[in-house]
Amino acid sequence: MVNFGKRLMLDQLEEWKEYYINYKMMKKKVKQYVQQTQNGGRNREQVLKEFSRMLDDQIEKIVLFLLQQQGHLASRIEKLGEERALLMEQADASQISELREAYREVGIDLMKLLRFVDMNATGIRKILKKFDKRFGYKFTDYYVSTRANHPCSQLQQIFKQVGIVAVVGALSRNLAFLQDHQGNFPSIYDHPSITLKDPIIEQINHSVQKLTHATNLLQFIGQHALIVPEDMHSGSEDLVDDQSYHFMSLLLNLANTFLYMVNTYIIVPTADDYSVSLGAAATVCGVIIGSMAVAQVFSSVYFSAWSNRSYFRPLVFSSIMLFLGNLLYALAYDVNSLAVLIVGRLLCGLGSARAVNRRYISDCVPLKTRLQASAGFVSASALGMACGPALAGLLQTNFKIYGLTFDQNTLPGWIMCLAWMTYMFWLWISFKEPGHIVRENSVNTASSDSGHPRNSNLEDGLAQPFLIDAKESLDENGEDNDENEEDPEDSHKPATSLAAAYRLLTPSVKVQLLIYFMLKFAMEILLSESSVVTTFYFNWSTSTVAMFLAVLGLTVLPVNVIVGSYVTNLFQDRQILVASEIMVLIGIATSFRFTSHYSVPQYVSSALITFVFAEVLEGVNLSLLSRVMSSRLSRGTYNGGLLSTEAGTLARVAADMTITAAGYLGQNSLLNVTLLPSFVICVASIVATFCTYNSLY
């Protein structure tokens, strides 16, 4: 496995060798500084100033060379422009084709320059993080805060490439101009609907987006799934080809995601009424709703491990658990048992196959369609969240068949039973196990027959020691290995144990997981107690509560469209992150009941602010999380998706338990008591964000 220092030496262009960051020298300097400060020969202030000047010199060298190369590219485009002007009169097809190829050659050279910038930008980030790791996470904050926004900033030249974007624009315009559309030469400015389908330009745009953190709608929504896209330049082999890819199996995974989210939220408008009908307090709805999340804490781990060997069997097991869980949920009324009701919800949680759904997209969908599939995963979740309460609002009836009650409380269970039975039949006849799983299982069987069984990733992980010898962090030359640090290119080997995954959690990643916990906690408090609160204060009917929750759920996709298409390209993700956290805090603060009169406008407006900006926050939070976490957390059992799922699930459990516990103080105090933890956690997350703000640069 190649660390970044060696990767830099292997990938750099020989003719540009002297202009790359001297990463090896900088690493040695960091090691020397550590020894000197430990021996008392240097104080930290001297080290910070000296290392800052050294890094300034490295960045200046890179930037001056970058500007020089941009000038060469601009000159070549200018000369080609003169040739293009002469061709306007002749319109010779062969000469136009030659000129188009000449522009593409410029594009290829621009790709080399973008690669140069990307490698150096990665080197700068890594050396900052290495210094932070050795000196207590102080240098990045100091360096970025003093350099990033300075009017003479050279750091911005590397991370925000206005000059390169201008060259990309010139190439795109001229290549579009030279495309022959039946004798017309349309302008990309006069016809913005025209999309230039040139492979060179597409690769350049991808590289520019990666470098500047620009985004588009699909990319933004897809990142919610926390499926880290492969780097186009990494040379990693895509093991999934178009022939082995099975669209119907992907559709079944998305259907599982949709139905599970419907199953989660379909009971929210009626859970309080159901608990009262069984002789419990209305606030026991927190236990009813949260029990599904409790079971999901455990199911996420074993489903993630199970997906190492199969996708079909976990999905079948998931469907069976959800069918049985909903059956018990529906029968609890007639047997008059709260315990049966809760057991039913626990079984539903044990059927949570979101880890399998996410893993299928990551491992079994080709790279070129993986982004769309990731966006489909997020969209299916959002639609399920909206459809659940909406469906509950339509089930306002009451009748009996053979002594079984069908009303607003039990019908969600019966409806979901039917849905999962139908899904299981569809799964059985249509799902196709991916080819690489079949091959691996064949190899495992053969190995077992020969007396040499091959352990699964989970078993390998459990066998790993929780404390790893420090020697593993050294390479063969005795230098620090970079593999245990965040780097999108160094390694794709998955973490094989919880301890290994935890070691990959830098302060930035931990803060992002805290933010994810906070927003899920706040949203769960809002949604789960909505029926109790609105009934107590406003006498809302079940249909009204269901309509309100459905409207909240329907805001998810429009908000993502606005943020993903526009906002993320106007502001840095870390700026949107802080602004969204503050708005969530405002939404929580305005939700408190300050006077004896609590009005519908106050509740609805504060709920909308909290929910909408929590959705904005979730998108940006997961986008940053996918960027700052180690690439080793993008695959395997103990992946970033599992960590974020566990953080969100634990937040939901904590929120639902808070609602039930607060119910003992009376419904009059429920609202303020449950909002207080949300407020405190939100303040803590804002403080933590500011502490790691510059590490998100």
Side-chain angles (χ1 to χ4, degrees), residues 77-106:
I77 292 176
E78 183 181 9
K79 290 180 181 178
L80 291 175
E82 294 173 359
E83 296 180 24
R84 189 205 67 202
L86 295 175
L87 284 178
M88 287 182 63
E89 301 176 0
Q90 303 174 7
D92 188 309
S94 62
Q95 290 182 328
I96 290 176
S97 178
E98 291 176 5
L99 186 58
R100 187 186 298 124
E101 290 305 314
Y103 273 114
R104 284 177 177 157
E105 288 178 9
V106 176

PDB file of all heavy atoms in Angstrom, residues 77-106:
ATOM      1  N   ILE A  77      -4.558  29.085 -26.536  1.00  0.00           N
ATOM      2  CA  ILE A  77      -5.972  29.275 -26.880  1.00  0.00           C
ATOM      3  C   ILE A  77      -6.148  30.521 -27.742  1.00  0.00           C
ATOM      4  O   ILE A  77      -6.971  30.547 -28.675  1.00  0.00           O
ATOM      5  CB  ILE A  77      -6.813  29.366 -25.593  1.00  0.00           C
ATOM      6  CG1 ILE A  77      -6.826  28.014 -24.875  1.00  0.00           C
ATOM      7  CG2 ILE A  77      -8.246  29.793 -25.908  1.00  0.00           C
ATOM      8  CD1 ILE A  77      -7.539  28.028 -23.542  1.00  0.00           C
ATOM      9  N   GLU A  78      -5.348  31.557 -27.455  1.00  0.00           N
ATOM     10  CA  GLU A  78      -5.437  32.792 -28.249  1.00  0.00           C
ATOM     11  C   GLU A  78      -5.027  32.541 -29.698  1.00  0.00           C
ATOM     12  O   GLU A  78      -5.689  32.998 -30.646  1.00  0.00           O
ATOM     13  CB  GLU A  78      -4.543  33.862 -27.628  1.00  0.00           C
ATOM     14  CG  GLU A  78      -4.635  35.208 -28.337  1.00  0.00           C
ATOM     15  CD  GLU A  78      -3.728  36.250 -27.711  1.00  0.00           C
ATOM     16  OE1 GLU A  78      -2.906  35.878 -26.849  1.00  0.00           O
ATOM     17  OE2 GLU A  78      -3.828  37.430 -28.087  1.00  0.00           O
ATOM     18  N   LYS A  79      -3.955  31.767 -29.910  1.00  0.00           N
ATOM     19  CA  LYS A  79      -3.514  31.458 -31.274  1.00  0.00           C
ATOM     20  C   LYS A  79      -4.540  30.596 -32.006  1.00  0.00           C
ATOM     21  O   LYS A  79      -4.809  30.807 -33.196  1.00  0.00           O
ATOM     22  CB  LYS A  79      -2.165  30.745 -31.225  1.00  0.00           C
ATOM     23  CG  LYS A  79      -1.014  31.637 -30.791  1.00  0.00           C
ATOM     24  CD  LYS A  79       0.301  30.872 -30.749  1.00  0.00           C
ATOM     25  CE  LYS A  79       1.440  31.770 -30.279  1.00  0.00           C
ATOM     26  NZ  LYS A  79       2.724  31.035 -30.186  1.00  0.00           N
ATOM     27  N   LEU A  80      -5.109  29.646 -31.283  1.00  0.00           N
ATOM     28  CA  LEU A  80      -6.154  28.819 -31.898  1.00  0.00           C
ATOM     29  C   LEU A  80      -7.380  29.658 -32.238  1.00  0.00           C
ATOM     30  O   LEU A  80      -8.093  29.372 -33.212  1.00  0.00           O
ATOM     31  CB  LEU A  80      -6.538  27.677 -30.950  1.00  0.00           C
ATOM     32  CG  LEU A  80      -5.473  26.600 -30.727  1.00  0.00           C
ATOM     33  CD1 LEU A  80      -5.933  25.602 -29.669  1.00  0.00           C
ATOM     34  CD2 LEU A  80      -5.154  25.871 -32.031  1.00  0.00           C
ATOM     35  N   GLY A  81      -7.640  30.682 -31.447  1.00  0.00           N
ATOM     36  CA  GLY A  81      -8.755  31.585 -31.734  1.00  0.00           C
ATOM     37  C   GLY A  81      -8.560  32.326 -33.041  1.00  0.00           C
ATOM     38  O   GLY A  81      -9.529  32.580 -33.778  1.00  0.00           O
ATOM     39  N   GLU A  82      -7.309  32.683 -33.327  1.00  0.00           N
ATOM     40  CA  GLU A  82      -7.027  33.347 -34.607  1.00  0.00           C
ATOM     41  C   GLU A  82      -7.288  32.400 -35.776  1.00  0.00           C
ATOM     42  O   GLU A  82      -7.842  32.800 -36.811  1.00  0.00           O
ATOM     43  CB  GLU A  82      -5.572  33.825 -34.614  1.00  0.00           C
ATOM     44  CG  GLU A  82      -5.284  34.925 -33.587  1.00  0.00           C
ATOM     45  CD  GLU A  82      -3.805  35.251 -33.493  1.00  0.00           C
ATOM     46  OE1 GLU A  82      -3.006  34.603 -34.225  1.00  0.00           O
ATOM     47  OE2 GLU A  82      -3.438  36.143 -32.699  1.00  0.00           O
ATOM     48  N   GLU A  83      -6.895  31.115 -35.602  1.00  0.00           N
ATOM     49  CA  GLU A  83      -7.170  30.132 -36.655  1.00  0.00           C
ATOM     50  C   GLU A  83      -8.674  29.921 -36.820  1.00  0.00           C
ATOM     51  O   GLU A  83      -9.168  29.762 -37.943  1.00  0.00           O
ATOM     52  CB  GLU A  83      -6.496  28.803 -36.306  1.00  0.00           C
ATOM     53  CG  GLU A  83      -4.987  28.861 -36.263  1.00  0.00           C
ATOM     54  CD  GLU A  83      -4.382  27.519 -35.921  1.00  0.00           C
ATOM     55  OE1 GLU A  83      -5.049  26.489 -36.173  1.00  0.00           O
ATOM     56  OE2 GLU A  83      -3.253  27.487 -35.389  1.00  0.00           O
ATOM     57  N   ARG A  84      -9.389  29.925 -35.721  1.00  0.00           N
ATOM     58  CA  ARG A  84     -10.838  29.740 -35.780  1.00  0.00           C
ATOM     59  C   ARG A  84     -11.508  30.880 -36.525  1.00  0.00           C
ATOM     60  O   ARG A  84     -12.459  30.678 -37.299  1.00  0.00           O
ATOM     61  CB  ARG A  84     -11.399  29.649 -34.364  1.00  0.00           C
ATOM     62  CG  ARG A  84     -12.860  29.245 -34.296  1.00  0.00           C
ATOM     63  CD  ARG A  84     -13.491  29.750 -33.031  1.00  0.00           C
ATOM     64  NE  ARG A  84     -13.556  31.200 -33.049  1.00  0.00           N
ATOM     65  CZ  ARG A  84     -13.657  31.969 -31.981  1.00  0.00           C
ATOM     66  NH1 ARG A  84     -13.666  31.437 -30.786  1.00  0.00           N
ATOM     67  NH2 ARG A  84     -13.723  33.285 -32.091  1.00  0.00           N
ATOM     68  N   ALA A  85     -10.995  32.106 -36.346  1.00  0.00           N
ATOM     69  CA  ALA A  85     -11.578  33.262 -37.032  1.00  0.00           C
ATOM     70  C   ALA A  85     -11.435  33.126 -38.547  1.00  0.00           C
ATOM     71  O   ALA A  85     -12.340  33.499 -39.307  1.00  0.00           O
ATOM     72  CB  ALA A  85     -10.906  34.540 -36.538  1.00  0.00           C
ATOM     73  N   LEU A  86     -10.296  32.582 -38.999  1.00  0.00           N
ATOM     74  CA  LEU A  86     -10.111  32.380 -40.439  1.00  0.00           C
ATOM     75  C   LEU A  86     -11.036  31.294 -40.984  1.00  0.00           C
ATOM     76  O   LEU A  86     -11.518  31.384 -42.117  1.00  0.00           O
ATOM     77  CB  LEU A  86      -8.650  31.995 -40.720  1.00  0.00           C
ATOM     78  CG  LEU A  86      -7.594  33.071 -40.412  1.00  0.00           C
ATOM     79  CD1 LEU A  86      -6.191  32.518 -40.621  1.00  0.00           C
ATOM     80  CD2 LEU A  86      -7.813  34.297 -41.309  1.00  0.00           C
ATOM     81  N   LEU A  87     -11.297  30.286 -40.166  1.00  0.00           N
ATOM     82  CA  LEU A  87     -12.153  29.178 -40.613  1.00  0.00           C
ATOM     83  C   LEU A  87     -13.621  29.587 -40.718  1.00  0.00           C
ATOM     84  O   LEU A  87     -14.405  28.886 -41.359  1.00  0.00           O
ATOM     85  CB  LEU A  87     -12.036  27.997 -39.646  1.00  0.00           C
ATOM     86  CG  LEU A  87     -10.764  27.151 -39.759  1.00  0.00           C
ATOM     87  CD1 LEU A  87     -10.763  26.060 -38.708  1.00  0.00           C
ATOM     88  CD2 LEU A  87     -10.667  26.534 -41.151  1.00  0.00           C
ATOM     89  N   MET A  88     -14.002  30.658 -40.062  1.00  0.00           N
ATOM     90  CA  MET A  88     -15.397  31.092 -40.110  1.00  0.00           C
ATOM     91  C   MET A  88     -15.830  31.390 -41.537  1.00  0.00           C
ATOM     92  O   MET A  88     -16.983  31.169 -41.909  1.00  0.00           O
ATOM     93  CB  MET A  88     -15.605  32.339 -39.244  1.00  0.00           C
ATOM     94  CG  MET A  88     -15.571  32.080 -37.743  1.00  0.00           C
ATOM     95  SD  MET A  88     -15.873  33.579 -36.792  1.00  0.00           S
ATOM     96  CE  MET A  88     -17.548  33.971 -37.315  1.00  0.00           C
ATOM     97  N   GLU A  89     -14.902  31.847 -42.376  1.00  0.00           N
ATOM     98  CA  GLU A  89     -15.239  32.175 -43.761  1.00  0.00           C
ATOM     99  C   GLU A  89     -15.254  30.924 -44.641  1.00  0.00           C
ATOM    100  O   GLU A  89     -16.053  30.812 -45.552  1.00  0.00           O
ATOM    101  CB  GLU A  89     -14.222  33.185 -44.307  1.00  0.00           C
ATOM    102  CG  GLU A  89     -14.165  34.488 -43.503  1.00  0.00           C
ATOM    103  CD  GLU A  89     -13.086  35.425 -44.014  1.00  0.00           C
ATOM    104  OE1 GLU A  89     -12.398  35.049 -44.988  1.00  0.00           O
ATOM    105  OE2 GLU A  89     -12.944  36.516 -43.435  1.00  0.00           O
ATOM    106  N   GLN A  90     -14.361  29.939 -44.336  1.00  0.00           N
ATOM    107  CA  GLN A  90     -14.243  28.767 -45.198  1.00  0.00           C
ATOM    108  C   GLN A  90     -15.171  27.626 -44.787  1.00  0.00           C
ATOM    109  O   GLN A  90     -15.728  26.937 -45.630  1.00  0.00           O
ATOM    110  CB  GLN A  90     -12.793  28.264 -45.171  1.00  0.00           C
ATOM    111  CG  GLN A  90     -11.786  29.339 -45.582  1.00  0.00           C
ATOM    112  CD  GLN A  90     -10.359  28.868 -45.398  1.00  0.00           C
ATOM    113  OE1 GLN A  90     -10.127  27.707 -45.081  1.00  0.00           O
ATOM    114  NE2 GLN A  90      -9.408  29.776 -45.588  1.00  0.00           N
ATOM    115  N   ALA A  91     -15.330  27.416 -43.492  1.00  0.00           N
ATOM    116  CA  ALA A  91     -16.162  26.322 -42.942  1.00  0.00           C
ATOM    117  C   ALA A  91     -15.753  24.974 -43.510  1.00  0.00           C
ATOM    118  O   ALA A  91     -16.571  24.154 -43.908  1.00  0.00           O
ATOM    119  CB  ALA A  91     -17.649  26.594 -43.221  1.00  0.00           C
ATOM    120  N   ASP A  92     -14.434  24.740 -43.604  1.00  0.00           N
ATOM    121  CA  ASP A  92     -13.900  23.470 -44.081  1.00  0.00           C
ATOM    122  C   ASP A  92     -14.023  22.432 -42.961  1.00  0.00           C
ATOM    123  O   ASP A  92     -13.449  22.587 -41.883  1.00  0.00           O
ATOM    124  CB  ASP A  92     -12.430  23.653 -44.477  1.00  0.00           C
ATOM    125  CG  ASP A  92     -11.880  22.416 -45.174  1.00  0.00           C
ATOM    126  OD1 ASP A  92     -12.057  21.316 -44.606  1.00  0.00           O
ATOM    127  OD2 ASP A  92     -11.287  22.554 -46.254  1.00  0.00           O
ATOM    128  N   ALA A  93     -14.748  21.341 -43.239  1.00  0.00           N
ATOM    129  CA  ALA A  93     -15.035  20.341 -42.206  1.00  0.00           C
ATOM    130  C   ALA A  93     -13.763  19.692 -41.676  1.00  0.00           C
ATOM    131  O   ALA A  93     -13.618  19.455 -40.473  1.00  0.00           O
ATOM    132  CB  ALA A  93     -15.985  19.281 -42.745  1.00  0.00           C
ATOM    133  N   SER A  94     -12.816  19.364 -42.570  1.00  0.00           N
ATOM    134  CA  SER A  94     -11.581  18.704 -42.131  1.00  0.00           C
ATOM    135  C   SER A  94     -10.736  19.627 -41.261  1.00  0.00           C
ATOM    136  O   SER A  94     -10.158  19.199 -40.256  1.00  0.00           O
ATOM    137  CB  SER A  94     -10.769  18.242 -43.346  1.00  0.00           C
ATOM    138  OG  SER A  94     -10.386  19.369 -44.138  1.00  0.00           O
ATOM    139  N   GLN A  95     -10.671  20.910 -41.638  1.00  0.00           N
ATOM    140  CA  GLN A  95      -9.889  21.858 -40.846  1.00  0.00           C
ATOM    141  C   GLN A  95     -10.553  22.129 -39.490  1.00  0.00           C
ATOM    142  O   GLN A  95      -9.865  22.311 -38.481  1.00  0.00           O
ATOM    143  CB  GLN A  95      -9.724  23.173 -41.621  1.00  0.00           C
ATOM    144  CG  GLN A  95      -8.814  23.044 -42.830  1.00  0.00           C
ATOM    145  CD  GLN A  95      -8.631  24.365 -43.555  1.00  0.00           C
ATOM    146  OE1 GLN A  95      -9.546  25.196 -43.588  1.00  0.00           O
ATOM    147  NE2 GLN A  95      -7.457  24.566 -44.131  1.00  0.00           N
ATOM    148  N   ILE A  96     -11.881  22.135 -39.493  1.00  0.00           N
ATOM    149  CA  ILE A  96     -12.595  22.313 -38.222  1.00  0.00           C
ATOM    150  C   ILE A  96     -12.297  21.152 -37.284  1.00  0.00           C
ATOM    151  O   ILE A  96     -12.084  21.333 -36.084  1.00  0.00           O
ATOM    152  CB  ILE A  96     -14.117  22.447 -38.472  1.00  0.00           C
ATOM    153  CG1 ILE A  96     -14.432  23.785 -39.145  1.00  0.00           C
ATOM    154  CG2 ILE A  96     -14.894  22.323 -37.154  1.00  0.00           C
ATOM    155  CD1 ILE A  96     -15.882  23.959 -39.525  1.00  0.00           C
ATOM    156  N   SER A  97     -12.262  19.935 -37.858  1.00  0.00           N
ATOM    157  CA  SER A  97     -11.958  18.760 -37.051  1.00  0.00           C
ATOM    158  C   SER A  97     -10.544  18.839 -36.478  1.00  0.00           C
ATOM    159  O   SER A  97     -10.310  18.504 -35.309  1.00  0.00           O
ATOM    160  CB  SER A  97     -12.115  17.499 -37.900  1.00  0.00           C
ATOM    161  OG  SER A  97     -11.782  16.357 -37.147  1.00  0.00           O
ATOM    162  N   GLU A  98      -9.589  19.302 -37.310  1.00  0.00           N
ATOM    163  CA  GLU A  98      -8.209  19.450 -36.838  1.00  0.00           C
ATOM    164  C   GLU A  98      -8.118  20.490 -35.727  1.00  0.00           C
ATOM    165  O   GLU A  98      -7.395  20.302 -34.737  1.00  0.00           O
ATOM    166  CB  GLU A  98      -7.299  19.845 -38.004  1.00  0.00           C
ATOM    167  CG  GLU A  98      -7.101  18.741 -39.030  1.00  0.00           C
ATOM    168  CD  GLU A  98      -6.276  19.212 -40.218  1.00  0.00           C
ATOM    169  OE1 GLU A  98      -5.796  20.366 -40.179  1.00  0.00           O
ATOM    170  OE2 GLU A  98      -6.113  18.439 -41.177  1.00  0.00           O
ATOM    171  N   LEU A  99      -8.842  21.589 -35.901  1.00  0.00           N
ATOM    172  CA  LEU A  99      -8.816  22.644 -34.892  1.00  0.00           C
ATOM    173  C   LEU A  99      -9.443  22.159 -33.586  1.00  0.00           C
ATOM    174  O   LEU A  99      -8.955  22.477 -32.490  1.00  0.00           O
ATOM    175  CB  LEU A  99      -9.561  23.881 -35.415  1.00  0.00           C
ATOM    176  CG  LEU A  99      -9.509  25.133 -34.528  1.00  0.00           C
ATOM    177  CD1 LEU A  99      -8.070  25.566 -34.276  1.00  0.00           C
ATOM    178  CD2 LEU A  99     -10.302  26.272 -35.165  1.00  0.00           C
ATOM    179  N   ARG A 100     -10.526  21.380 -33.717  1.00  0.00           N
ATOM    180  CA  ARG A 100     -11.158  20.832 -32.522  1.00  0.00           C
ATOM    181  C   ARG A 100     -10.175  19.943 -31.757  1.00  0.00           C
ATOM    182  O   ARG A 100     -10.092  19.998 -30.525  1.00  0.00           O
ATOM    183  CB  ARG A 100     -12.409  20.037 -32.899  1.00  0.00           C
ATOM    184  CG  ARG A 100     -13.210  19.582 -31.674  1.00  0.00           C
ATOM    185  CD  ARG A 100     -14.365  18.678 -32.057  1.00  0.00           C
ATOM    186  NE  ARG A 100     -15.318  19.360 -32.916  1.00  0.00           N
ATOM    187  CZ  ARG A 100     -15.699  18.926 -34.117  1.00  0.00           C
ATOM    188  NH1 ARG A 100     -15.196  17.801 -34.597  1.00  0.00           N
ATOM    189  NH2 ARG A 100     -16.566  19.601 -34.827  1.00  0.00           N
ATOM    190  N   GLU A 101      -9.410  19.126 -32.480  1.00  0.00           N
ATOM    191  CA  GLU A 101      -8.417  18.265 -31.839  1.00  0.00           C
ATOM    192  C   GLU A 101      -7.317  19.085 -31.177  1.00  0.00           C
ATOM    193  O   GLU A 101      -6.787  18.707 -30.120  1.00  0.00           O
ATOM    194  CB  GLU A 101      -7.817  17.293 -32.860  1.00  0.00           C
ATOM    195  CG  GLU A 101      -8.783  16.221 -33.340  1.00  0.00           C
ATOM    196  CD  GLU A 101      -9.373  15.432 -32.182  1.00  0.00           C
ATOM    197  OE1 GLU A 101      -8.607  15.025 -31.287  1.00  0.00           O
ATOM    198  OE2 GLU A 101     -10.602  15.235 -32.168  1.00  0.00           O
ATOM    199  N   ALA A 102      -6.978  20.207 -31.796  1.00  0.00           N
ATOM    200  CA  ALA A 102      -5.956  21.089 -31.198  1.00  0.00           C
ATOM    201  C   ALA A 102      -6.455  21.660 -29.873  1.00  0.00           C
ATOM    202  O   ALA A 102      -5.684  21.763 -28.900  1.00  0.00           O
ATOM    203  CB  ALA A 102      -5.609  22.217 -32.169  1.00  0.00           C
ATOM    204  N   TYR A 103      -7.726  22.035 -29.858  1.00  0.00           N
ATOM    205  CA  TYR A 103      -8.303  22.526 -28.595  1.00  0.00           C
ATOM    206  C   TYR A 103      -8.303  21.414 -27.544  1.00  0.00           C
ATOM    207  O   TYR A 103      -8.051  21.660 -26.356  1.00  0.00           O
ATOM    208  CB  TYR A 103      -9.728  23.020 -28.822  1.00  0.00           C
ATOM    209  CG  TYR A 103      -9.818  24.468 -29.248  1.00  0.00           C
ATOM    210  CD1 TYR A 103     -10.272  24.825 -30.516  1.00  0.00           C
ATOM    211  CD2 TYR A 103      -9.465  25.491 -28.372  1.00  0.00           C
ATOM    212  CE1 TYR A 103     -10.358  26.148 -30.914  1.00  0.00           C
ATOM    213  CE2 TYR A 103      -9.553  26.823 -28.760  1.00  0.00           C
ATOM    214  CZ  TYR A 103      -9.996  27.146 -30.034  1.00  0.00           C
ATOM    215  OH  TYR A 103     -10.074  28.463 -30.410  1.00  0.00           O
ATOM    216  N   ARG A 104      -8.586  20.197 -27.972  1.00  0.00           N
ATOM    217  CA  ARG A 104      -8.604  19.083 -27.027  1.00  0.00           C
ATOM    218  C   ARG A 104      -7.209  18.793 -26.468  1.00  0.00           C
ATOM    219  O   ARG A 104      -7.068  18.376 -25.321  1.00  0.00           O
ATOM    220  CB  ARG A 104      -9.177  17.836 -27.691  1.00  0.00           C
ATOM    221  CG  ARG A 104     -10.695  17.899 -27.839  1.00  0.00           C
ATOM    222  CD  ARG A 104     -11.239  16.704 -28.569  1.00  0.00           C
ATOM    223  NE  ARG A 104     -12.696  16.754 -28.639  1.00  0.00           N
ATOM    224  CZ  ARG A 104     -13.424  16.129 -29.552  1.00  0.00           C
ATOM    225  NH1 ARG A 104     -12.820  15.401 -30.484  1.00  0.00           N
ATOM    226  NH2 ARG A 104     -14.738  16.216 -29.543  1.00  0.00           N
ATOM    227  N   GLU A 105      -6.184  19.011 -27.303  1.00  0.00           N
ATOM    228  CA  GLU A 105      -4.817  18.845 -26.802  1.00  0.00           C
ATOM    229  C   GLU A 105      -4.532  19.853 -25.689  1.00  0.00           C
ATOM    230  O   GLU A 105      -3.863  19.527 -24.698  1.00  0.00           O
ATOM    231  CB  GLU A 105      -3.818  19.012 -27.950  1.00  0.00           C
ATOM    232  CG  GLU A 105      -3.809  17.846 -28.921  1.00  0.00           C
ATOM    233  CD  GLU A 105      -2.834  18.072 -30.068  1.00  0.00           C
ATOM    234  OE1 GLU A 105      -2.047  19.053 -29.993  1.00  0.00           O
ATOM    235  OE2 GLU A 105      -2.845  17.280 -31.025  1.00  0.00           O
ATOM    236  N   VAL A 106      -5.043  21.068 -25.865  1.00  0.00           N
ATOM    237  CA  VAL A 106      -4.913  22.059 -24.792  1.00  0.00           C
ATOM    238  C   VAL A 106      -5.643  21.559 -23.546  1.00  0.00           C
ATOM    239  O   VAL A 106      -5.157  21.711 -22.416  1.00  0.00           O
ATOM    240  CB  VAL A 106      -5.478  23.430 -25.232  1.00  0.00           C
ATOM    241  CG1 VAL A 106      -5.434  24.421 -24.066  1.00  0.00           C
ATOM    242  CG2 VAL A 106      -4.700  23.974 -26.418  1.00  0.00           C
TER     243      VAL A 106
END
